[in-house]
Amino acid sequence: MTEEKSAATLKEEGNILFKSGDMQGAVCCYTKALKLSVNQGDAAVLHRNRAACYLKLEEFSKAEADASKALDADPGDVKARFRRAQAFQKLNRLDQAFLDAQRCAQLEPKNKAFQDLLRQLGAQIQQKSLQLNSTDARVQQMFSLLVDASAQDSDKEKAAQNLVVLSREDAGAEQIFRNDGVKLIEKLLGSRQEEIVLSALRTLVGLCTGHQTRTMAIVNELGMELLCAVMGSGSSAVSLAACHLLQVMFEALTEGMKREVRGKEEAILPEPSKELRSMLRHLLEMMPSSKVSGPGRDNAINLLVKQVPRKSLKNPDNSLTLWVIDQGLKKILEVAGTVPELSDGPPLTENSHMSCSVLLGKLYDDLQSDKERENFNKLCEEYTQQHFSRPGLDGKVRAIQTVSALLQGPSDVGNRALEMSGMMDAVISLCASEDVTHQQIAVEALIHAAGKAKRASFITANGVALLKDLYKKSESDRIRVRALVGLCKLGSAGGTDFSMKQFAEGSTLKLAKQCRKWLCNESLPATSRRWSVEGLAYLTFDADVKEDLVEDKKALQAMFELAKSVDKTVLFAVGSTLVNCTNSYEVEKPDPQMVELAKYAKQHVPEEHPKDASAFVEKRLMKLLEAGVVSALVCMVKHESPALTEACRECIARVFLALVERQEDRGTVVAQGGGKALIPLASENTAVGKIKAAQALSKITITSNPEIAFPGERVYEVVRPLVSLLNLECTLLQNFEALMALTNLAGISERLRQKIIKEKAVLKIEGYMFEEHDLVRAAATECMCNLILSTEVQKLFLATGNDRLKLLVLYSGEEDERLRRAAAGSLAMLTAEHPELCARIPDTTKHWLEIVHTLLLSETTDLRHRGVVIVRNMMQADKSVAEKLMESEALEILSVLAKGEGTSEAIVKVAQSCLDKAVEYGIIRSRAEEAAGGTEP
């Protein structure tokens, strides 16, 4: 009995919340009640009620599912059937919606809502039928042109492009698919005209996007061999388009079931894991194939990076990663260990090795247990040992190259491989080889090995002399620049600690100067110039180096041009250099007492360089902006590449945040595309990077017109990152800036307010209205003031059993003028829209009259105006409230305000209307009556 009573209580609570407009709260109550309910009939009602909530929340798939469960228990439930019809309509499943609506109308023929829905659906179905017939004719016309051998190439290209446009419409995609369009597309993929091949791939993207069943059929019909062959072709444009298609296919297969593929289709959909594994197997087979082009291989690696590791570590299933390691780790290592100058291995680009490192790192990070990690280590060591133990130097060089790739990816695995017997000795000895390629591979391994302080000190003791010798005496520029980077990395081992420098005074400045010289030397190949940026990434821990670099505009622009180039392996080095120059890294300032204790104990105390003071940093930021840093950062974000890792994205987000710190620089950042670039950085990044990007967005939104900074639909994409800052883990400054930015957005349009509501921000904003910090509390109240323009938020204040109205009344009497203005503005709007609230104000607090008097007597015109509007609304709504007001000092204050001495015309008019209302009620007498009746009241 207790359980049933609890379920019934929860259901009633849900009903109250539903009526007050709190849909999320209602869903929560109904869900809890469902867990407790033991009666099938009661559960059906709860499902039906929850379906109504989901319809309001625009979660139509969930609404359909709940309504279906209610109908399973009671097929005659007309409310559940009507709600399912509404859900089907929104899901564009019009035939099923029509059947449900028709049944509703049969059960209740006089119900106007049922008849209206039936008419709407009839019109929509007719329109869709006409559209299908029209689309069918257009599809057939395109098909005829494409198979016509006598048609001109230009006509065929136009027809193929038209097919792309048609495939992006639901009706067009369906007609292409049903009319054997996939077979025609298969022929187009074999065309010698690149434009036609590109159009064929883009048409397939339209067919597969968000449609699991079509995707599975297309994968089976075309075969992965063909799709991978197209991606592995020599044309980079075709390869990239094929990569995009395969990515869309992956997403459709893995996420299609989560979206709108429910109901009838659910029962007949086969499990897509077979197609998924087939796609992955073919991608892994592309790794070592000599027939695959370099860009094609890079795209295959990029797909594996995106699709194999879990998107969230909360998901316990990492079976796909384990399968890829089992089936393809050695194939990936084969690419990672390829030295193009020494072997007939697969063709590589300048990005291939870095892409492999990123993939290996992602796979290793996705492992859950020590056993899985040990297996990964074992496979890597076996592969490395296999080549290292081969006779001759080529095998050893390949093994060292493999270790280099591991050091840049899963560094723990790389360090273990480096500790294999004889490996480090071989690296040191090959640095002295007369073969330039051997030297290059060994020096690169030495650089990557110097990542940890322990290893750096070992190499400082054993390898510095060797690196200096190579730098001074080598005749090859590519060896000299790499040796220089090795020296740079070792020279920066103290980080930003001014007191811990590895080399003599002035040595790091000389190294940096040489790096800038290499960087500006356009006769050097781009790969060698990239290494000079690597050197600067290490050396810019030193503030003197930062100052010299920002003063060298030519070097900055050369670095920015590299960042925009095809070689994406330079991205992290550029990002790290800019983070150092802008001081946007995290610096924990030690406790002064602990510093004194450390000095007393003669322990090392970190010291900040004088040129890392804020005045120097501000000047450096201005120099970077003048040199065009924003356009470089925008380009870095724009092009997808495995080299654009989350760590790299975090660097870019940090730099953007530093660049928008000064209000006067924000317009420059926005004008050069910084606002647009920050949006993806706020969603695809490390946890820290997301916060940095969101905070940069909030700063821009506060001081710029959001509709100009984020034109079109982009302004709606800004809402989610801002809401993410309303989190207890964020700082109060981040909370405050997010609230300010959301206030700005909420004041623009109802659609933006709805977006903020949909992101579940209202309750979070309410929470900050109780914050102790004055500025945060006022910002939250201002945000709520703008959100109150939306009827859904107004309903929250109309609901009984909460203190929302009381809080606004109390805040209207606070000392903080900004808080009073926001609270009084909210009250003015609420009492105007909902007169029934006026009668409830006297019950909120016994001091309500004092608060009203304080508003009316305020020296601030805005507050006085809000005060008289609230009084007018209360008097118009309720005579008893008007009487209480007129019995107080309000009458005298309003009389003075109505005379217009030293106050605005708007206030005079409202004050006079209050007095007129009092006369109308008969509470006071008009001036004419007073004149006629003497001094009697």
Side-chain angles (χ1 to χ4, degrees):
M1 285 296 290
T2 309
E3 284 192 353
E4 284 184 20
K5 187 179 178 183
S6 298
T9 304
L10 285 164
K11 179 191 160 191
E12 282 307 312
E13 286 177 13
N15 292 347
I16 292 165
L17 290 168
F18 179 85
K19 287 173 186 173
S20 70
D22 185 357
M23 297 303 148
Q24 290 290 354
V27 166
C28 186
C29 286
Y30 293 143
T31 303
K32 286 178 183 175
L34 277 165
K35 289 177 183 175
L36 296 172
S37 181
V38 291
N39 183 292
Q40 191 179 9
D42 292 343
V45 173
L46 288 165
H47 279 300
R48 183 183 73 198
N49 290 0
R50 195 169 68 173
C53 296
Y54 283 136
L55 283 171
K56 293 276 188 185
L57 291 167
E58 296 182 18
E59 295 185 38
F60 303 117
S61 293
K62 290 181 180 179
E64 178 268 310
D66 266 359
S68 293
K69 286 173 185 173
L71 287 168
D72 288 342
D74 181 8
D77 188 338
V78 72
K79 282 187 181 179
R81 194 168 293 280
F82 179 61
R83 283 165 192 169
R84 189 169 75 171
Q86 289 176 301
F88 277 143
Q89 182 188 28
K90 293 293 184 181
L91 293 169
N92 206 28
R93 288 156 64 179
L94 301 179
D95 291 345
Q96 288 168 282
F98 188 83
L99 289 172
D100 274 344
Q102 195 174 45
R103 180 67 180 142
C104 288
Q106 287 169 353
L107 291 168
E108 293 184 16
K110 293 181 180 179
N111 191 309
K112 188 176 180 295
F114 297 167
Q115 296 295 341
D116 287 346
L117 180 61
L118 205 55
R119 276 194 292 274
Q120 282 177 30
L121 289 166
Q124 284 178 277
I125 289 168
Q126 190 175 5
Q127 187 181 358
K128 189 175 179 181
S129 177
L130 290 169
Q131 189 183 4
L132 280 170
N133 292 333
S134 165
T135 304
D136 188 29
R138 287 157 68 201
V139 168
Q140 292 298 341
Q141 186 185 356
M142 298 309 120
F143 281 7
S144 301
L145 259 173
L146 288 164
V147 297
D148 185 354
S150 62
Q152 293 184 0
D153 287 349
S154 59
D155 290 338
K156 285 189 174 184
E157 281 185 17
K158 283 179 184 175
Q161 287 165 5
N162 288 337
L163 215 55
V164 176
V165 175
L166 286 167
S167 72
R168 290 171 182 163
E169 303 167 3
D170 286 342
E174 196 60 30
Q175 289 301 324
I176 293 168
F177 185 71
R178 286 182 179 176
N179 288 306
D180 284 336
V182 179
K183 286 181 181 175
L184 174 65
I185 290 168
E186 187 175 358
K187 290 178 184 175
L188 298 181
L189 289 173
S191 171
R192 292 181 181 178
Q193 292 172 254
E194 186 175 299
E195 283 302 315
I196 285 185
V197 176
L198 286 170
S199 294
L201 291 166
R202 288 165 187 159
T203 302
L204 287 170
V205 167
L207 296 181
C208 295
T209 301
H211 206 293
Q212 192 183 60
T213 46
R214 273 206 298 258
T215 302
M216 290 172 72
I218 289 167
V219 169
N220 288 317
E221 189 167 344
L222 291 179
M224 277 301 296
E225 291 87 351
L226 173 62
L227 295 172
C228 287
V230 173
M231 189 166 74
S233 67
S235 165
S236 58
V238 169
S239 179
L240 197 61
C243 174
H244 179 55
L245 167 62
L246 288 172
Q247 187 177 329
V248 167
M249 287 178 156
F250 269 115
E251 287 169 0
L253 291 173
T254 54
E255 296 178 22
M257 287 293 285
K258 296 176 191 174
R259 291 202 289 263
E260 297 174 4
V261 186
R262 299 187 65 92
K264 289 185 177 180
E265 284 191 59
E266 192 171 21
I268 57 169
L269 278 177
E271 175 60 42
S273 60
K274 176 189 163 189
E275 283 76 10
L276 276 172
R277 290 182 190 263
S278 167
M279 291 170 79
L280 291 173
R281 185 179 291 109
H282 281 89
L283 291 176
L284 290 170
E285 284 170 3
M286 288 178 74
M287 294 291 108
S289 173
S290 57
K291 295 177 182 176
V292 175
S293 68
R297 182 172 291 96
D298 287 354
N299 285 325
I301 295 169
N302 195 8
L303 281 168
L304 290 167
V305 167
K306 286 183 175 178
Q307 302 302 331
V308 176
R310 291 168 293 167
K311 301 291 185 291
S312 168
L313 295 179
K314 291 178 183 176
N315 174 12
D317 183 15
N318 68 340
S319 57
L320 214 53
T321 294
L322 297 175
W323 184 85
V324 167
I325 290 169
D326 182 55
Q327 299 289 317
L329 181 58
K330 291 195 175 179
K331 291 172 183 169
I332 299 164
L333 290 171
E334 201 166 325
V335 178
T338 295
V339 182
E341 296 90 341
L342 297 182
S343 62
D344 298 328
L348 304 181
T349 70
E350 56 269 25
N351 295 311
S352 298
H353 282 136
M354 175 59 81
S355 297
C356 276
S357 295
V358 173
L359 175 56
L360 290 164
K362 289 273 187 184
L363 293 173
Y364 187 73
D365 290 343
D366 202 40
L367 299 177
Q368 292 178 306
S369 66
D370 289 342
K371 184 180 177 183
E372 291 172 359
R373 284 184 276 274
E374 186 56 41
N375 179 57
F376 189 98
N377 270 299
K378 185 184 172 187
L379 290 170
C380 291
E381 284 176 21
E382 282 175 2
Y383 179 86
T384 308
Q385 186 64 52
Q386 177 190 335
H387 287 285
F388 191 72
S389 58
R390 273 170 39 194
L393 284 176
D394 283 5
K396 288 180 173 52
V397 171
R398 189 178 179 91
I400 292 168
Q401 172 57 45
T402 306
V403 172
S404 270
L406 289 167
L407 284 165
Q408 292 176 86
S411 56
D412 290 344
V413 181
N415 278 311
R416 241 176 89 162
L418 199 62
E419 288 164 4
M420 287 167 55
S421 177
M423 183 67 72
M424 201 66 196
D425 293 335
V427 171
I428 298 289
S429 63
L430 280 176
C431 282
S433 170
E434 292 181 5
D435 187 300
V436 174
T437 302
H438 291 177
Q439 279 188 317
Q440 180 181 319
I441 299 299
V443 172
E444 286 182 13
L446 206 60
I447 293 166
H448 300 314
K452 291 189 177 179
K454 184 176 77 171
R455 186 87 59 201
S457 58
F458 167 81
I459 296 168
T460 304
N462 297 278
V464 168
L466 185 59
L467 288 169
K468 283 183 178 176
D469 203 44
L470 286 170
Y471 172 61
K472 290 175 183 176
K473 296 179 183 177
S474 177
E475 295 178 7
S476 168
D477 284 342
R478 66 184 192 179
I479 297 301
R480 290 188 68 211
V481 72
R482 285 165 173 79
L484 177 63
V485 172
L487 291 170
C488 292
K489 189 167 185 179
L490 293 166
S492 67
T496 57
D497 185 353
F498 180 49
S499 62
M500 277 190 73
K501 295 301 169 192
Q502 299 283 331
F503 295 152
E505 187 71 32
S507 295
T508 49
L509 287 172
K510 288 177 185 175
L511 291 173
K513 187 177 180 181
Q514 187 59 51
C515 281
R516 298 202 310 274
K517 187 178 173 183
W518 287 112
L519 179 58
C520 297
N521 187 350
E522 293 184 8
S523 63
L524 279 175
T527 48
S528 295
R529 293 171 67 207
R530 170 175 67 82
W531 277 96
S532 64
V533 184
E534 293 270 358
L536 288 169
Y538 299 122
L539 292 176
T540 45
F541 283 121
D542 188 317
D544 288 316
V545 175
K546 301 176 195 181
E547 288 294 313
D548 286 354
L549 176 58
V550 297
E551 291 296 334
D552 189 342
K553 195 168 183 180
K554 189 179 176 186
L556 284 177
Q557 288 175 339
M559 181 170 74
F560 297 158
E561 286 306 312
L562 274 179
K564 299 173 186 178
S565 69
V566 178
D567 183 0
K568 296 301 169 193
T569 55
V570 76
L571 294 182
F572 187 69
V574 173
S576 300
T577 303
L578 292 172
V579 164
N580 292 341
C581 287
T582 58
N583 282 39
S584 48
Y585 42 73
E586 303 291 346
V587 179
E588 283 189 28
K589 294 203 173 180
D591 185 333
Q593 289 184 336
M594 296 303 292
V595 170
E596 290 303 315
L597 284 171
K599 284 179 181 176
Y600 180 76
K602 294 183 179 179
Q603 291 182 353
H604 172 69
V605 179
E607 293 177 25
E608 184 182 69
H609 196 294
K611 290 181 182 175
D612 274 329
S614 57
F616 285 92
V617 176
E618 194 172 302
K619 286 176 185 174
R620 289 202 290 268
L621 285 164
M622 291 167 70
K623 296 276 185 186
L624 288 168
L625 283 166
E626 287 169 16
V629 66
V630 176
S631 61
L633 292 171
V634 170
C635 277
M636 288 165 73
V637 175
K638 197 179 289 181
H639 301 291
E640 285 196 17
S641 163
L644 187 63
T645 59
E646 286 193 342
C648 186
R649 287 173 183 273
E650 183 184 316
C651 287
I652 298 169
R654 285 178 179 275
V655 176
F656 265 127
L657 180 56
L659 292 170
V660 298
E661 189 62 42
R662 289 194 338 143
Q663 188 173 327
E664 52 266 46
D665 293 331
R666 293 172 195 172
T668 305
V669 173
V670 169
Q672 294 177 20
K676 178 184 173 183
L678 276 164
I679 293 171
L681 288 173
S683 58
E684 298 171 34
N685 214 317
T686 62
V688 172
K690 286 176 183 177
I691 290 171
K692 301 289 182 189
Q695 192 177 1
L697 284 170
S698 67
K699 287 179 185 289
I700 290 170
T701 310
I702 290 167
T703 53
S704 307
N705 181 340
E707 292 175 296
I708 295 172
F710 313 104
E713 294 296 305
R714 286 199 192 97
V715 71
Y716 301 99
E717 295 176 49
V718 176
V719 173
R720 184 171 293 175
L722 296 180
V723 173
S724 72
L725 292 177
L726 302 181
N727 192 309
L728 293 174
E729 292 177 10
C730 294
T731 65
L732 271 180
L733 175 63
Q734 289 163 346
N735 299 153
F736 173 70
E737 289 178 334
L739 289 165
M740 292 276 285
L742 287 167
T743 302
N744 208 355
L745 292 176
I748 292 172
S749 70
E750 178 59 21
R751 190 178 165 198
L752 268 167
R753 287 191 287 275
Q754 286 299 319
K755 177 67 176 171
I756 293 168
I757 294 164
K758 199 170 181 181
E759 291 296 335
K760 302 174 184 176
V762 176
L763 292 177
K764 292 180 180 180
I765 294 163
E766 271 194 326
Y768 284 103
M769 287 173 71
F770 293 93
E771 177 58 52
E772 288 182 12
H773 196 287
D774 290 347
L775 287 173
V776 177
R777 185 169 67 242
T781 310
E782 285 174 341
C783 192
M784 187 60 71
C785 181
N786 281 357
L787 286 171
I788 279 173
L789 291 165
S790 181
T791 52
E792 285 184 45
V793 178
Q794 290 169 18
K795 286 176 183 176
L796 296 176
F797 287 87
L798 280 169
T800 54
N802 66 69
D803 290 331
R804 289 187 176 99
L805 186 65
K806 180 179 180 178
L807 187 67
L808 291 180
V809 173
L810 291 172
Y811 278 0
S812 297
E814 285 287 313
E815 289 183 11
D816 181 352
E817 190 174 298
R818 186 174 167 186
L819 179 64
R820 288 171 69 199
R821 190 185 288 117
S826 301
L827 275 179
M829 283 188 284
L830 283 169
T831 51
E833 290 292 323
H834 301 283
E836 61 267 40
L837 286 174
C838 297
R840 285 164 50 186
I841 288 177
D843 299 327
T844 56
T845 171
K846 62 183 180 181
H847 303 294
W848 71 277
L849 274 171
E850 293 171 35
I851 292 167
V852 171
H853 296 159
T854 308
L855 286 173
L856 293 172
L857 291 167
S858 173
E859 293 178 6
T860 308
T861 304
D862 279 354
L863 282 171
R864 276 206 309 277
H865 187 252
R866 285 165 168 77
V868 292
V869 168
I870 292 167
V871 170
R872 181 193 62 189
N873 295 342
M874 293 173 74
M875 291 186 70
Q876 287 177 345
D878 194 293
K879 184 179 178 182
S880 63
V881 173
E883 287 171 345
K884 289 176 185 175
L885 283 164
M886 292 300 100
E887 287 167 5
S888 72
E889 292 174 23
L891 173 58
E892 187 179 342
I893 300 167
L894 288 168
S895 300
V896 173
L897 290 174
K899 289 176 184 175
E901 294 175 10
T903 192
S904 70
E905 190 179 338
I907 293 173
V908 172
K909 283 183 179 179
V910 179
Q912 187 58 54
S913 70
C914 293
L915 295 173
D916 291 344
K917 195 70 185 175
V919 171
E920 185 186 321
Y921 283 143
I923 301 169
I924 64 172
R925 292 160 63 182
S926 67
R927 287 177 184 173
E929 288 174 330
E930 283 180 2
T935 56
E936 292 298 316

